[in-house]
Amino acid sequence: MNYLKIIALLLFTVLPFKSFPQEGLTHEIGLVAGRIEFRSDYGQRGDTKTNLNNTGFQIGFVDYLNFSYVDYVNNYFKEHFKVRNELTYIQADLQHYGEWTEKNTVPSKQLKEMRGSTKLVNLGFQLEFNFIDIHRFEKTPGGFLPYISIGPQISYYTATASSELGELGNPLTTYPKYLTPSDGRPHGYSNESKAVFSAAINIGTRYKLTPMSDLMLDLRAQAFGSDWVDGLNPNQDLYPENKGNDWLTFIGLGYVYYFE
């Protein structure tokens, strides 16, 4: 039921954009997929192996509202702005890397053998600014249309934490700081499914493939309003090095088709 409530809330958030008079308003439908790097409490901050290995994938459907043929909209706005509605799915596998996993000690082995995963469904919208006139791009085969967009998301995540040594929650299998109660949970880890607000910013470019279709290169940074999205959140009063919320980066390719 919580999942359905989240979708309903976001539909009510996005639908006001559909309430514009429809004459001249066009839609563009697209599919975007690519690789993510998940920045979280797994691994050592700034460690190359952490950043390269705590990865996953993202796939999303996008619906652009194009105002460029609408008479009642300001000319500059309709030549440079679109509204991007989207539904995306993200999945990532997580593990500890870095110098604290490489020592010949029991705590290091406990860290090294921890495993995590997170799965997310995101629903939201962005206001997109295009750096070149939209009509000019549409009439330029082989042309490029660079853009930047920003907007809110609601993300529903399912996070799991486990260990190859056995069940988490006891001193034999669990790194000490994850045994301490944190943020209303009995431990610094949690297997849970919850909703959280997030914000996303995208930059990229389109390439005019045909009069009715584009290819797209899309880069994103997405920041979550929670530190539990990865399933880990050590007590921040005792372990301030983990106080930052989870976030991710994404790079992907997409295909967009124009509806008249």
Side-chain angles (χ1 to χ4, degrees), residues 247-259:
W247 62 288
L248 63 82
T249 60
F250 164 80
I251 181 169
L253 297 174
Y255 176 81
V256 179
Y257 179 79
Y258 291 66
F259 284 89

Side-chain angles (χ1 to χ4, degrees), residues 22 31 33 45 66 73 100 103 120 125 148 193 200 227 231 233:
Q22 295 297 301
L31 177 67
R45 183 179 300 174
N66 186 336
V73 175
W100 303 108
K103 302 179 185 296
L120 300 102
F125 67 91
I148 183 170
S193 297
D227 199 19
N233 184 14

Side-chain angles (χ1 to χ4, degrees), residues 32 58-62 84 86-90 120-123 153 220 222:
V32 185
Q58 174 178 309
I59 185 169
F61 296 95
V62 291
R84 170 175 170 163
E86 58 186 4
L87 173 66
T88 59
Y89 175 79
I90 296 169
L120 300 102
V121 176
N122 299 293
L123 189 60
Q153 309 270 317
R220 164 177 289 199
Q222 183 172 356

Side-chain angles (χ1 to χ4, degrees), residues 27-31 64 82 137-145 205-216 254-260:
H27 288 267
E28 303 160 12
I29 304 296
L31 177 67
Y64 292 90
K82 296 179 182 180
F137 169 71
E138 290 177 348
K139 298 173 183 177
T140 310
F144 290 89
L145 180 66
T205 187
R206 291 197 192 189
Y207 171 79
K208 177 54 65 179
L209 185 64
T210 73
M212 298 297 292
S213 65
D214 302 336
L215 296 180
M216 180 168 60
Y255 176 81
V256 179
Y257 179 79
Y258 291 66
F259 284 89
E260 291 188 291

Side-chain angles (χ1 to χ4, degrees), residues 118-231:
T118 187
K119 301 175 182 178
L120 300 102
V121 176
N122 299 293
L123 189 60
F125 67 91
Q126 294 180 303
L127 183 63
E128 178 180 288
F129 174 76
N130 297 276
F131 290 91
I132 296 174
D133 285 4
I134 292 171
H135 279 138
R136 176 183 165 191
F137 169 71
E138 290 177 348
K139 298 173 183 177
T140 310
F144 290 89
L145 180 66
Y147 63 83
I148 183 170
S149 62
I150 188 169
Q153 309 270 317
I154 286 183
S155 304
Y156 187 81
Y157 69 88
T158 297
T160 60
S162 62
S163 173
E164 297 292 296
L165 299 176
E167 185 176 355
L168 289 174
N170 67 77
L172 296 178
T173 62
T174 312
Y175 192 72
K177 74 177 180 180
Y178 297 118
L179 291 172
T180 306
S182 175
D183 193 28
R185 279 78 162 178
H187 304 104
Y189 67 90
S190 180
N191 296 319
E192 62 182 39
S193 297
K194 288 193 174 182
V196 61
F197 281 100
S198 61
I201 181 170
N202 287 52
I203 60 172
T205 187
R206 291 197 192 189
Y207 171 79
K208 177 54 65 179
L209 185 64
T210 73
M212 298 297 292
S213 65
D214 302 336
L215 296 180
M216 180 168 60
L217 174 66
D218 199 45
L219 293 86
R220 164 177 289 199
Q222 183 172 356
F224 301 97
S226 170
D227 199 19
W228 287 104
V229 178
D230 64 342

Side-chain angles (χ1 to χ4, degrees), residues 4-25:
L4 295 177
K5 290 178 181 178
I6 293 163
I7 292 179
L9 177 60
L10 267 164
L11 287 175
F12 279 115
T13 303
V14 175
L15 282 175
F17 291 104
K18 307 284 189 178
S19 66
F20 285 106
Q22 295 297 301
E23 185 178 354
L25 185 63

